[in-house]
Amino acid sequence: MTSTTPRPGPAAGTAAPSPTGSPDAETPPDGTAAAQPDGTAAAQPDGAAPGRTGPGRTGRAGSSLRFTLVAGGLLALLVVAAVASLVFGSARVPVGEVLRALTGQGEAGPLTTIVLDVRLPRVLLAAVVGAGLAVVGTVLQALVRNPLADPYLLGISSGASTGAVCVVVLGIGAVSMQVGAFVGALGALVVVYAMARRGGSMTTGRLVLAGVAVQYILSALTSLLLVRSEQAEHLRAILFWTLGGLGQARWHALLLPALALLAGLAVLLALARPLDLLLAGEEGATALGLDTSRFRALAFVLASLVTAVLVTVSGSIGFIGLMVPHAARMAVGAGHRALLPVAALGGAAFLVLADLAARTVAAPEEIPVGVLTALTGGPFFLWLLRRSQRAQGVMA
């Protein structure tokens, strides 16, 4: 009988270091290769192996080129979607009129007013909200190491809806619907954190369960308030807001969400390396000097605050934070320094296109944009769940 000598390989339980010197961002502590949402094994963030001068530089150059091409393509798509959104709607505005209005060469009139005061702030708000939700979804998927996570995991959306409905139903005239939504979102965040923390520590499992529980309770409370309300004339507006919509977009409503997006994205880009380390698992990240509990708590607070600000101006628009991060990860890899900007551009383009469809599919009636994103995201969620089950079956 001929014996076969096994070939030498890497020691079991060790993770291949990334080009930055950290463990592979997609390799869990037990040394097995973590599967991507499409069921394939994860690759190095920049595709280069450490310690190889030539191939490493080639891999980094290829990764940089890929990022440039993807980001440039998404930016072009965003521009095209924005121009289309300014042209089409319940009333079609010629492209020439749109360009003259944007450059200040057009005469004051109804078409100029439609472009500058109605559609342009709406397009910009859609881009800001879409980008913010996609970035937050990307971060949450890294923090909880769950491909099914999205910005509404912590019950923030339900809290915002409950706060807005309370303002309208209870007739608190001194407080706007947006202020009530923001207070409700932050209140939900505080409750979730209080429920998730025990003994000075907070685990991902308790956080997710607390978020789901709070979300169901607040959704039931919102439904009860709507049913008991005697202000029937407000029910349609409240329902439209809870389903998600950008019809209330105005120039004064752009400043706060834009600042929240820019500040949050800047901070998260600075935290790209710790986010990559978290993907390696608790033990691997801790071994490399990361205080995972403290970092996760701070990142959750930042992501929740950004989401709360966005929800107050757009209502509950779901599934963007679920779909876009996966598409961006397939395009540029798992490294967050490239992943976050690509996710932001993808989310902005996606929501601008979705809002355009919401305004034109049933014109002159408008469909809540949250309904369209749910119709798109529901099948994607089922597909992702099926792929994850297949990946687990292969790894088992």
Side-chain angles (χ1 to χ4, degrees):
M1 181 179 298
T2 304
S3 61
T4 303
T5 304
R7 296 181 180 180
T14 60
S18 71
T20 58
S22 61
D24 185 354
E26 296 289 341
T27 304
D30 59 359
T32 59
Q36 291 285 1
D38 58 357
T40 60
Q44 295 283 352
D46 57 4
R52 298 181 182 178
T53 306
R57 291 177 180 176
T58 303
R60 285 190 290 271
S63 178
S64 177
L65 177 61
R66 181 175 58 177
F67 168 77
T68 303
L69 292 175
V70 172
L74 288 174
L75 183 59
L77 176 62
L78 177 59
V79 172
V80 172
V83 173
S85 296
L86 296 177
V87 171
F88 297 102
S90 57
R92 187 179 184 277
V93 181
V95 178
E97 286 291 336
V98 171
L99 295 179
R100 282 190 289 271
L102 294 177
T103 56
Q105 299 177 359
E107 298 181 358
L111 294 182
T112 302
T113 301
I114 290 175
V115 172
L116 296 182
D117 295 335
V118 179
R119 293 185 181 174
L120 184 56
R122 180 164 180 158
V123 169
L124 294 177
L125 184 62
V128 169
V129 172
L133 292 177
V135 167
V136 172
T138 303
V139 172
L140 287 180
Q141 289 173 11
L143 291 176
V144 302
R145 301 183 66 199
N146 189 335
L148 304 180
D150 74 346
Y152 301 97
L153 180 70
L154 305 181
I156 302 171
S157 175
S158 297
S161 298
T162 303
V165 170
C166 284
V167 169
V168 175
V169 172
L170 300 179
I172 307 176
V175 180
S176 66
M177 183 183 293
Q178 286 74 18
V179 173
F182 186 74
V183 172
L186 291 184
L189 173 63
V190 171
V191 173
V192 169
Y193 268 80
M195 294 175 60
R197 291 188 66 86
R198 184 175 63 184
S201 63
M202 178 183 62
T203 65
T204 300
R206 288 203 302 267
L207 187 68
V208 172
L209 291 176
V212 171
V214 170
Q215 184 176 6
Y216 275 113
I217 293 172
L218 292 177
S219 296
L221 180 60
T222 301
S223 300
L224 178 62
L225 289 173
L226 289 175
V227 170
R228 301 289 297 176
S229 173
E230 298 179 357
Q231 304 179 26
E233 66 276 9
H234 296 300
L235 292 181
R236 180 177 175 84
I238 294 174
L239 181 62
F240 188 88
W241 189 87
T242 55
L243 293 176
L246 302 167
Q248 303 299 319
R250 297 295 183 270
W251 284 108
H252 63 82
L254 275 172
L255 180 60
L256 184 58
L259 291 177
L261 171 63
L262 293 176
L265 183 58
V267 173
L268 292 171
L269 282 174
L271 300 176
R273 177 177 169 78
L275 287 172
D276 290 341
L277 293 180
L278 270 184
L279 291 177
E282 296 284 341
E283 296 180 1
T286 303
L288 291 170
L290 179 65
D291 187 345
T292 56
S293 297
R294 181 178 181 182
F295 173 76
R296 181 177 280 113
L298 293 176
F300 269 127
V301 170
L302 176 61
S304 300
L305 290 177
V306 173
T307 305
V309 173
L310 298 178
V311 169
T312 59
V313 295
S314 66
S316 302
I317 302 177
F319 289 102
I320 293 180
L322 174 68
M323 296 184 292
V324 174
H326 287 288
R329 197 174 290 112
M330 293 176 186
V332 297
H336 285 83
R337 191 169 298 278
L339 180 60
L340 289 173
V342 168
L345 289 173
F350 179 84
L351 189 54
V352 170
L353 289 173
D355 185 59
L356 173 61
R359 292 189 291 109
T360 57
V361 167
E365 296 294 328
E366 180 177 332
I367 301 174
V369 68
V371 173
L372 294 183
T373 59
L375 289 175
T376 306
F380 180 87
F381 182 89
L382 296 176
W383 171 83
L384 182 61
L385 185 61
R386 183 178 179 87
R387 301 287 292 195
S388 299
Q389 291 174 344
R390 287 182 178 177
Q392 291 175 358
V394 171
M395 292 178 63

